[in-house]
């Protein structure tokens, strides 16, 4: 009887140990974590995910706010990795948030930093079509930005050096030497001709004074000439106006005369036609009269019976 | 001497007895255009000058003409026109043209007027065809229209009219000639309106 009671206690203790073991395992597996977080997706194709593991930290502002719970390289897109994150639901993941891979310099372990936009925004709730969770776009890490800037600076420096080399080419150096030599020669010659230049300037000044004196005389002459030219212009304008009037009158008279000549010629032509016709008919009539007078018997005795017209009789 | 003078006087009187006695009296006919006149549809803007009608020597005589045998012509002995037929036809044609209003103006050539057109006409034949009594009257006139500013011929045509004679004498012929005149002048006016347009 006593041994049976002991077996029951041993069995109960064993069951309790198994239950404790199962709870411990469940706790260690984090099975309860899902209940206190939200899931987000990110697709990485520009950043290396070296050192990223399941359960790697998801941080925001340097604080751990979640963990990586799954990742997979997309089939058919070798450079694109799909990462599923679990983020504490109290964490404000806003529209415009970016996901950046950060790596510990010593251990090489990677985590994902979530960077909200500085101006803030609405919580990221929208689930794209074909996805199960909201998608956080891939961002650009600070180090990469610095690297890109350094690369651009290097390229610009290279180009500047190339252009500087071109500027200092042998040909340009020779040209510069020649220019300097010419400049040196010119300045030397200028120094030698300086006295002559002084003399020339003095001569020019004297000439200007003379011209100034002449200018007064010339001004008087020009004024007189201007008056005379004005009178000549007035006379010319008057003459031209008179000539224009005369020409207009002559043109009108010529036009009238032309019309008169045309009219006269036309009427004369009509008269000539009529006169010629009358002369022709007079000639015909004269000829006919001569033919009638060729038979004096008819003139003396009148028409014969044979020449009578229809219905005519001799009494 | 006195005897000789008396003898010559008797001979002269004897000669006069040989002259023909009084014949049929002469009748003078007036050539007319009895009408009617058709007014023109659309008067032309130009002035038409009408030249005196050309006429052969035979028709210059102011007697009615006839023909008993084809190819011959004769004049009635006692039937005269008041005016030579060509001259009268020219005047009648001018009257008809003016009455129809076919042109803005119609004037005789050499009348001191400048014209745009000139109508030349020629009387070819105008006689009583008496070969088969009572016969027909035949009238043929040739007409040509000239554009005076260009000196170009616009058209030429011969107009013919044949009208039966009611009586076989000069009076019947004159009446038929009036009708033939109307017919030909009407045709000429209609033709002018077409050619000058």
């Amino acid at each position: 009887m006593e041994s049976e009671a002991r077996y029951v206690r041993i069995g109960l203790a064993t069951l309790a140990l198994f239950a404790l073991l199962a709870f411990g395992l469940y706790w260690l597996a984090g099975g309860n974590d899902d209940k206190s977080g939200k899931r987000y997706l990110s697709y990485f194709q520009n950043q290396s995910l070296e050192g990223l593991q399941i359960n790697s930290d998801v941080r925001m502002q340097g604080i751990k706010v979640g963990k990586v719970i799954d990742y997979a390289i997309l089939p058919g897109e070798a450079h694109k990795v799909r990462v599923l994150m679990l983020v504490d639901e109290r964490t404000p993941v806003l529209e415009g948030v970016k996901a950046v891979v950060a790596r510990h310099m010593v251990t090489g372990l990677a985590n994902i930093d979530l960077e909200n936009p500085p101006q803030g925004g609405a919580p990221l709730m929208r689930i794209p079509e074909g996805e199960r969770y909201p998608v956080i776009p891939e961002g650009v890490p600070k180090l990469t930005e610095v690297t890109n800037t350094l690369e651009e600076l290097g390229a610009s420096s290279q180009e500047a050096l190339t252009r500087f080399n071109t500027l200092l080419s042998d040909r340009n150096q020779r040209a510069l030497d020649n220019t300097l030599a010419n400049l040196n020669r010119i300045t030397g010659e200028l120094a030698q001709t300086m006295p002559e230049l002084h003399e020339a300037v003095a001569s020019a000044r004297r000439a200007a004074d003379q011209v100034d004196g002449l200018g007064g005389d010339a001004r008087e002459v020009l004024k007189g000439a201007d008056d005379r030219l004005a009178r000549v212009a007035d006379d010319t304008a008057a003459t031209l106006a008179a000539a224009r009037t005369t020409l207009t009158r002559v043109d009108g008279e010529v036009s009238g005369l032309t019309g008169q000549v045309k009219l006269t010629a036309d009427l004369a032509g009509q008269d000539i036609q009529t006169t010629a016709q009358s002369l022709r008919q007079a000639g015909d009539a004269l000829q006919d009269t001569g033919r009638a007078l060729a038979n004096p018997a008819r003139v003396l005795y009148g028409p014969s019976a044979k020449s009578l017209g229809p219905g005519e009789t001799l009494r | 001497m006195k005897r000789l003078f008396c003898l010559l006087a008797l001979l002269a009187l004897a000669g006069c007895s040989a002259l023909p006695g009084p014949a049929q009296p002469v009748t003078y006919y007036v050539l007319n255009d009895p009408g009617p006149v058709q007014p023109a549809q659309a008067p032309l803007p130009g002035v038409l000058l009408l030249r005196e009608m050309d006429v052969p020597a035979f028709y210059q005589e102011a007697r009615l003409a006839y023909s008993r045998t084809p190819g011959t012509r004769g004049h009635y002995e006692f039937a005269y026109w008041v005016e030579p037929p060509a001259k009268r036809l020219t005047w009648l044609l001018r009257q008809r043209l003016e009455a129809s209003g076919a042109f803005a103006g119609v004037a005789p050539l050499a009348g001191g007027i400048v014209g745009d057109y000139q109508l030349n006409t020629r009387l070819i034949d105008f006689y009583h065809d008496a070969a088969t009594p009572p016969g027909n009257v035949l009238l043929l006139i040739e007409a040509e229209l000239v554009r005076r500013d260009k000196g170009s011929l616009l058209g030429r045509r011969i107009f013919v009219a044949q009208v039966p004679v009611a009586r076989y004498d000069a009076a019947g012929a004159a009446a038929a000639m009036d009708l033939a005149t109307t017919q030909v002048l009407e045709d000429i006016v209609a033709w002018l309106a077409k050619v000058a347009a």
Side-chain angles (χ1 to χ4, degrees):
Chain A
M1 188 67 188
E2 213 174 88
S3 62
E4 287 181 1
R6 194 170 52 244
Y7 290 152
V8 169
R9 280 197 296 273
I10 290 170
L12 287 173
T14 304
L15 287 174
L17 283 175
F18 273 110
L20 187 64
L21 178 62
F23 174 77
L25 288 175
Y26 176 74
W27 180 74
L28 286 174
N32 199 28
D33 289 348
D34 291 351
K35 294 178 181 174
S36 60
K38 291 179 67 175
R39 293 172 185 247
Y40 294 94
L41 272 174
S42 270
Y43 292 92
F44 294 92
Q45 61 181 5
N46 298 321
Q47 302 175 61
S48 170
L49 297 180
E50 182 182 355
L52 192 72
Q53 300 174 350
I54 300 295
N55 290 327
S56 288
D57 291 347
V58 174
R59 298 173 182 271
M60 181 179 283
Q61 305 280 334
I63 300 170
K64 180 182 177 182
V65 294
K67 62 182 180 181
V68 174
I69 56 176
D70 188 24
Y71 52 71
I73 298 174
L74 293 181
E77 294 183 74
H79 297 289
K80 199 168 185 180
V81 180
R82 178 178 179 274
V83 176
L84 180 62
M85 297 169 284
L86 181 66
V87 179
D88 187 277
E89 61 184 2
R90 295 171 297 176
T91 305
V93 180
L94 307 178
E95 290 278 357
V97 66
K98 303 286 185 186
V100 177
V101 177
R103 192 169 290 107
H104 195 277
M105 300 300 288
V106 179
T107 61
L109 294 175
N111 63 276
I112 292 176
D113 285 344
L114 299 182
E115 298 177 351
N116 276 322
Q119 70 275 15
L124 178 63
M125 305 289 288
R126 190 172 59 84
I127 300 175
E129 188 178 349
E131 301 289 355
R132 292 179 60 189
Y133 308 107
V135 175
I136 298 175
E138 179 184 15
V140 179
K142 292 278 187 297
L143 186 60
T144 305
E145 288 179 358
V146 172
T147 304
N148 291 340
T149 305
L150 287 175
E151 284 180 358
E152 289 174 4
L153 183 62
S156 301
S157 302
Q158 181 67 30
E159 186 178 353
L161 283 173
T162 304
R163 291 188 178 183
F164 190 70
N165 281 337
T166 306
L167 182 65
L168 294 180
S169 65
D170 294 341
R171 194 182 68 174
N172 287 349
Q173 286 182 12
R174 281 196 299 274
L176 189 61
D177 288 343
N178 292 335
T179 303
L180 291 174
N182 290 334
L183 191 60
N184 188 30
R185 192 176 71 248
I186 288 170
T187 50
E189 290 174 356
L190 191 62
Q192 289 177 0
T193 55
M194 192 56 75
E196 295 176 8
L197 281 175
H198 282 300
E199 181 60 27
V201 169
S203 299
R205 189 176 299 114
R206 287 195 297 273
D209 293 341
Q210 291 174 359
V211 168
D212 190 37
L214 285 173
D217 299 338
R219 199 174 298 117
E220 292 299 322
V221 172
L222 285 174
K223 188 171 182 303
D226 185 43
D227 294 340
R228 284 194 291 276
L229 280 174
R231 284 197 297 276
V232 169
D234 291 343
D235 293 345
T236 305
T239 305
L240 284 175
R244 191 178 297 114
T245 306
T246 305
L247 284 174
T248 305
R249 193 173 64 247
V250 168
D251 185 50
E253 288 176 356
V254 167
S255 298
L257 193 60
T258 304
Q260 194 66 33
V261 168
K262 207 171 175 181
L263 178 65
T264 305
D266 188 284
L267 297 179
Q270 293 186 32
D271 283 337
I272 290 170
Q273 276 193 67
T274 309
T275 305
Q277 186 184 28
S278 299
L279 283 174
R280 199 164 51 246
Q281 291 183 359
D284 291 344
L286 196 62
Q287 193 176 7
D288 197 53
T289 304
R291 197 164 49 232
L293 291 176
N295 184 10
R298 185 180 183 285
V299 176
L300 290 174
Y301 299 110
S304 64
K306 290 183 180 177
S307 67
L308 293 178
E312 290 182 319
T313 56
L314 290 174
R315 291 181 179 172
Chain B
M1 188 64 186
K2 286 184 179 177
R3 288 179 184 172
L4 181 60
F5 180 77
C6 290
L7 181 64
L8 289 174
L10 286 174
L11 286 174
L13 287 173
C16 287
S17 66
L19 292 173
Q24 180 181 344
V26 172
T27 305
Y28 289 89
Y29 294 95
V30 179
L31 183 62
N32 287 311
D33 173 15
V37 178
Q38 297 291 331
Q41 299 289 334
L44 295 168
V47 173
L48 175 69
L49 298 183
L50 197 58
R51 199 177 76 169
E52 193 75 36
M53 189 175 287
D54 281 329
V55 60
F58 179 77
Y59 287 110
Q60 287 184 24
E61 192 162 340
R63 288 194 289 171
L64 277 71
Y66 68 91
S67 170
R68 283 202 182 92
T69 308
T72 65
R73 301 286 184 275
H75 283 123
Y76 279 91
E77 295 295 343
F78 307 110
Y80 280 72
W81 294 115
V82 169
E83 194 175 20
K87 200 169 183 178
R88 180 69 178 174
L89 282 169
T90 304
W91 186 81
L92 290 173
L93 178 57
R94 182 153 62 88
Q95 295 299 312
R96 179 170 273 270
L97 281 167
E98 286 179 347
S100 71
F103 289 85
V106 180
L109 190 71
I113 295 173
V114 176
D116 303 291
Y117 303 94
Q118 180 174 323
L119 179 63
N120 302 326
T121 53
R122 176 178 173 79
L123 179 63
I124 299 174
D125 246 338
F126 193 25
Y127 66 96
H128 175 198
D129 182 5
T132 306
N136 299 302
V137 159
L138 200 67
L139 173 59
L140 283 87
I141 293 177
E142 182 187 45
E144 62 182 21
L145 184 65
V146 175
R147 180 84 199 185
R148 298 193 80 241
D149 56 349
K150 298 175 182 173
S152 58
L153 178 66
L154 296 180
R156 177 185 289 134
R157 184 176 159 184
I158 293 177
F159 297 88
V160 182
Q162 188 172 11
V163 177
V165 176
R167 284 168 47 192
Y168 186 67
D169 56 13
M177 285 174 175
D178 286 350
L179 297 176
T181 298
T182 294
Q183 190 174 325
V184 165
L185 296 188
E186 190 176 352
D187 291 347
I188 289 176
V189 172
W191 173 75
L192 283 175
K194 288 180 185 172
V195 173

